[in-house]
Amino acid sequence: MQAPTSGGTVDTLKDRFALWVLPYAALWITLLVGGALVVTLALLGAEVYANVVDDEGLASLDLPALELSQQLRTSDLNAGVTAFTNVGGGIGMPIVASVLTAWLTFLSRTWRPIILVGGAAAVSTLATTVGKRLVGRTRPDHSEAVPPYETSPSFPSGHTLNTTVVIGVLVYIMCLQFEVLWVRITAITAGALFIIAMGLSRVFLGHHWMTDVLAAWFLGLAWMALVILAHRLFHLTRKREHAGPAPTFEHPALREDHSGDEPVTEDSAERGAGTGSPGKGSSAG
């Protein structure tokens, strides 16, 4: 058997790139545009935040929420909530997201989880950084917080924003992957409770004001909605172009046959088009 040449390997990689990655170009473009809108929203929010959140505005929620949290604290509860909130931090959340994304990628055999979660997380992190630098709001005093203390600006809550986006997108992908109703309900319920608990944990520990968490929930839900919309538009575009479902690892993107027949994959001449197994969940990419 003749060994493959380096040129043949390069050509194969180019073909695979064209079949697996390029079909998602429209999705990436939509995500980039949506991400720009979210960052712009964070910029605008920073401009009006100081004028809206004052002693007579939304900040009237902050002190009562902090006082209630102080009344509920115990040493054991503090330790438990601290352990939980670390899951949504700069180390815990990337680990959780990577594990779940890898699992969903294995199940779906598509690039969908990596593209959606990766793109969503990148923009949410950028929005968090932009918001913190522009507003520069001071966190509650250390005397009113539970150690370990944090020194970065308070608005918006990064734990809450990033958790809302990442967990929300992962739940959406799970609902696409699994068609069983009880699985979808369980995923949505668990995801919602996790997101709510993460935000409240930041207030309970005195690491954020309540309005920091509310703003993070709003920004996170807005960006999550745009990510989901981008993915739905991606499939609508493919349907209108008769390009078939999104590519999988076993079945790359469909291409139009020059004879005018139905779209076929690169290996459909040998096996016949559409011979892939249905899998456990949705076949949408």
Side-chain angles (χ1 to χ4, degrees):
M1 179 181 294
Q2 184 179 359
T5 63
S6 59
T9 302
V10 173
D11 290 340
T12 300
L13 292 175
K14 289 181 178 179
D15 291 340
R16 292 300 179 184
F17 179 84
L19 290 170
W20 287 347
V21 179
L22 290 183
Y24 288 99
L27 176 60
W28 275 116
I29 293 173
T30 308
L31 288 177
L32 289 174
V33 173
L37 292 176
V38 169
V39 173
T40 301
L41 184 61
L43 291 171
L44 294 176
E47 291 294 330
V48 303
Y49 183 79
N51 296 326
V52 175
V53 182
D54 52 25
D55 292 339
E56 298 179 356
L58 291 176
S60 61
L61 299 173
D62 290 338
L63 291 179
L66 181 59
E67 292 173 356
L68 177 61
S69 299
Q70 290 175 310
Q71 295 173 7
L72 296 175
R73 291 174 188 166
T74 65
S75 58
D76 292 338
L77 188 57
N78 292 351
V81 175
T82 298
F84 171 75
T85 199
N86 288 337
V87 177
I91 297 177
M93 183 50 57
I95 294 175
V96 171
S98 297
V99 170
L100 292 177
T101 300
W103 174 59
L104 290 170
T105 300
F106 173 78
L107 290 180
S108 65
R109 305 296 293 173
T110 71
W111 298 107
R112 174 181 62 199
I114 296 175
I115 292 176
L116 293 182
V117 176
V123 172
S124 68
T125 302
L126 178 60
T128 300
T129 303
V130 169
K132 286 181 179 296
R133 289 185 177 181
L134 288 180
V135 176
R137 190 186 193 191
T138 304
R139 294 176 184 263
D141 191 85
H142 288 174
S143 62
E144 300 174 321
V146 176
Y149 306 117
E150 300 185 26
T151 58
S152 62
S154 186
F155 176 89
S157 168
H159 284 64
T160 305
L161 176 55
N162 295 322
T163 295
T164 300
V165 171
V166 171
I167 297 300
V169 172
L170 284 169
V171 168
Y172 167 69
I173 298 173
M174 288 181 187
C175 290
L176 293 178
Q177 181 64 33
F178 299 100
E179 297 179 348
V180 181
L181 180 60
W182 72 265
V183 175
R184 292 180 171 180
I185 293 176
T186 301
I188 293 172
T189 302
L193 290 176
F194 187 88
I195 291 170
I196 293 172
M198 184 59 65
L200 295 180
S201 72
R202 307 304 292 162
V203 178
F204 176 84
L205 295 173
H207 295 169
H208 281 284
W209 303 103
M210 188 67 198
T211 45
D212 300 332
V213 172
L214 291 175
W217 277 333
F218 173 77
L219 282 173
L221 290 174
W223 174 226
M224 182 186 69
L226 284 173
V227 171
I228 294 174
L229 176 61
H231 188 244
R232 303 322 301 168
L233 290 176
F234 163 70
H235 280 289
L236 180 62
T237 301
R238 290 187 64 82
K239 183 177 180 180
R240 288 181 176 178
E241 294 177 352
H242 305 288
T248 65
F249 294 157
E250 288 84 4
H251 301 284
L254 297 177
R255 56 181 172 79
E256 293 292 342
D257 188 2
H258 293 295
S259 63
D261 296 332
E262 294 182 357
V264 295
T265 62
E266 64 175 353
D267 55 358
S268 62
E270 298 178 1
R271 296 197 309 253
T275 57
S277 58
K280 294 181 180 180
S282 173
S283 61

